[in-house]
Amino acid sequence: MVITIASGKGGTGKTTVAVNLAYMIAQDAQHPTWLVDCDVEAPNAALFLKPEFIEEKSVERLLPVINHDLCTACGVCVRACASNALAIAGGKVLFFKELCHACGSCALICPESAIREEPELVGEMHKGYSGPLHFAQGTLEVGFSSPTPVIRSLKKWILPEQSDDIFILDASPGTSCPVVETMRGSDFVLFVTEPTPFGLHDLKLVVALNEKEFNLPAGIVINKSGENDALIAQFAQEKRLPILMRIPLSRHFAEAYSSGILLAEDSPALGGDFIDLFHKIKLHATKEKT
Amino acid sequence: MKIVISLEENNGLDSTASTIFGRCPFFMTIDPTSMAFEIIENPARQASGGAGIQAAQWVLNQGAATVISGNLGPKAFDVLSAGSAAAYRHEGGSVTDILKAFEEETLECLLAPNTSAHTGTL
């Protein structure tokens, strides 16, 4: 079972929920459990779970290299490029690496076979353990703007086609390509939000993304829960999204978080709530499937 | 000789010139001797990325040797200079004003990009 933790807005507690949920499921020891940090631009789950890495792998993309001796500057590759990464000027093809999406079209279509592809390092992946919990993360190389290939490779490396293991995927904030790539193929998506107008606004965006792209069974966790919860509850009711857990706004939790302490370890009662959350997710994921 | 000017609007020779290159709304191609011109929507305006490159490629495909715009980013500049097209910077105003300044050689010729990438992104 694959559960994606998403939020729309950053700073709502997505990683907090992901690491605590994964930690508690693993402690429960009923299923082999994985935490996969797919926020490859800023992976931070490791700060809380302090994993020991045992294996690493690099992620590469293939970039075109133009052989100017063979190139006749016919312009076929320029027209084939959907990313405007190629131009033809002064009888020569120019290549702009920053715009290239590494689709390979130019190399395929070149009638003179003047384009070959060479690998470029775009990220790294690590896997290991944090106690009984399996842990994996991807890291985008500094200076690169597209995290999607790293997320795709990470999921390919870690997630088998069929498995009874539990995989908790920590997505990046927002609603753009990296979040779509993380959610793809999941069995359930858990939206972590906060009861503020900003939290609600971005929750609406990520809920709309799920409705449009995948329509995965979904539920909500309200973090920093308190007197303004109605803001979220009203929207949840409209969308028929269950509120599966509330984590109270608490200075103590904020202090524990800022010291890299797992809330579930710090507060056994809250730990129990995460186990409840997991059972509710299982229920909703299977109920909505049938 | 053919000149391309980036425009804010489609209003003939009275059109206000645009200081944006890659994502300006319209381009005018004009022959300053005969004053024969054509205005078209910028084909690169909606590009998800690389608008400057696509716009510069369009300019070269028109066979224009001169571009008059406001700000030119590094990638657009690379394409234009590889295609031996000269780039000039205007200070705003209508096409008529700008062509007059061009004839009087008071427009600044750009020898390097004068803005960073993505400046014209809305």
Side-chain angles (χ1 to χ4, degrees):
Chain A
M1 182 177 182
V2 182
I3 305 165
T4 289
I5 318 291
S7 71
K9 184 184 174 299
T12 58
K14 183 171 27 62
T15 299
T16 301
V17 169
V19 296
N20 284 287
L21 180 62
Y23 171 82
M24 288 308 298
I25 301 170
Q27 293 292 316
D28 210 29
Q30 311 236 356
H31 317 265
T33 308
W34 287 79
L35 186 285
V36 187
D37 196 340
C38 295
D39 186 2
V40 303
E41 284 166 283
N44 62 351
L47 296 176
F48 300 94
L49 294 166
K50 302 164 184 77
E52 188 189 328
F53 291 120
I54 52 160
E55 204 178 331
E56 69 171 84
K57 216 172 159 181
S58 55
V59 183
E60 292 171 338
R61 64 172 186 166
L62 291 173
L63 291 187
V65 178
I66 297 145
N67 182 337
H68 292 286
D69 293 335
L70 296 176
C71 176
T72 61
C74 66
V76 169
C77 58
V78 177
R79 289 188 290 277
C81 180
S83 316
N84 293 324
L86 295 166
I88 193 153
K92 215 174 146 185
V93 172
L94 307 181
F95 173 55
F96 296 89
K97 191 177 106 170
E98 309 92 302
L99 288 160
C100 181
H101 281 59
C103 72
S105 302
C106 55
L108 264 177
I109 208 162
C110 175
E112 309 297 332
S113 303
I115 303 178
R116 68 172 195 282
E117 294 180 295
E118 277 190 1
E120 179 191 46
L121 185 74
V122 292
E124 275 161 14
M125 308 183 290
H126 289 88
K127 73 175 162 189
Y129 296 93
S130 170
L133 178 67
H134 299 261
F135 186 97
Q137 70 175 30
T139 312
L140 183 67
E141 283 293 296
V142 172
F144 285 84
S145 59
S146 178
T148 316
V150 180
I151 298 168
R152 198 180 296 136
S153 302
L154 180 65
K155 288 177 71 175
K156 207 174 157 189
W157 192 39
I158 301 298
L159 271 60
E161 298 245 331
Q162 277 291 327
S163 170
D164 289 331
D165 294 6
I166 308 295
F167 297 89
I168 308 292
L169 311 189
D170 190 11
S172 52
T175 47
S176 59
C177 300
V179 179
V180 175
E181 194 57 47
T182 306
M183 279 168 71
R184 191 190 308 282
S186 296
D187 299 299
F188 189 88
V189 57
L190 186 63
F191 301 119
V192 182
T193 189
E194 60 181 31
T196 63
F198 194 177
L200 174 64
H201 178 272
D202 286 8
L203 172 66
K204 284 180 179 171
L205 293 180
V206 75
V207 166
L209 165 72
N210 180 40
E211 282 175 353
K212 193 162 176 252
E213 292 291 327
F214 304 113
N215 223 359
L216 301 174
I220 293 174
V221 170
I222 305 181
N223 187 22
K224 305 175 219 176
S225 160
E227 57 192 19
N228 293 322
D229 282 13
L231 204 66
I232 303 295
Q234 198 185 345
F235 172 70
Q237 200 171 20
E238 260 168 52
K239 289 288 174 189
R240 295 165 158 263
L241 284 170
I243 295 174
L244 302 178
M245 183 183 182
R246 294 172 201 247
I247 304 171
L249 177 64
S250 139
R251 187 183 171 89
H252 177 74
F253 287 162
E255 280 172 2
Y257 168 88
S258 67
S259 318
I261 294 167
L262 280 172
L263 301 187
E265 219 173 13
D266 183 64
S267 156
L270 195 66
D273 291 348
F274 278 105
I275 291 293
D276 287 348
L277 172 63
F278 176 55
H279 291 311
K280 286 180 193 164
I281 289 172
K282 273 200 295 192
L283 208 67
H284 283 280
T286 46
K287 190 173 71 188
E288 291 180 41
K289 229 178 217 175
T290 48
Chain B
M1 167 160 169
K2 217 183 217 178
I3 296 177
V4 170
I5 306 173
S6 57
L7 300 183
E8 281 298 322
E9 54 184 355
N10 181 355
N11 188 24
L13 294 169
D14 293 327
S15 302
T16 307
S18 175
T19 54
I20 293 167
F21 177 66
R23 290 187 193 275
C24 68
F26 299 96
F27 279 124
M28 173 186 277
T29 52
I30 185 164
D31 178 339
T33 334
S34 68
M35 291 300 270
F37 69 83
E38 191 185 0
I39 296 179
I40 69 136
E41 280 188 38
N42 173 5
R45 191 180 190 196
Q46 303 296 339
S48 57
I53 295 169
Q54 200 187 337
Q57 181 76 75
W58 181 84
V59 167
L60 295 181
N61 292 351
Q62 303 308 301
T66 305
V67 179
I68 306 175
S69 186
N71 299 315
L72 210 55
K75 300 190 194 84
F77 188 86
D78 282 354
V79 174
L80 291 174
S81 56
S84 307
Y88 290 84
R89 178 171 176 271
H90 68 74
E91 299 282 352
S94 71
V95 169
T96 313
D97 299 339
I98 283 163
L99 282 177
K100 189 162 166 276
F102 180 69
E103 296 292 328
E104 290 168 358
E105 299 185 8
T106 57
L107 290 184
E108 180 194 350
C109 182
L110 294 173
L111 302 174
N114 63 339
T115 188
S116 52
H118 307 133
T119 313
T121 308
L122 297 174

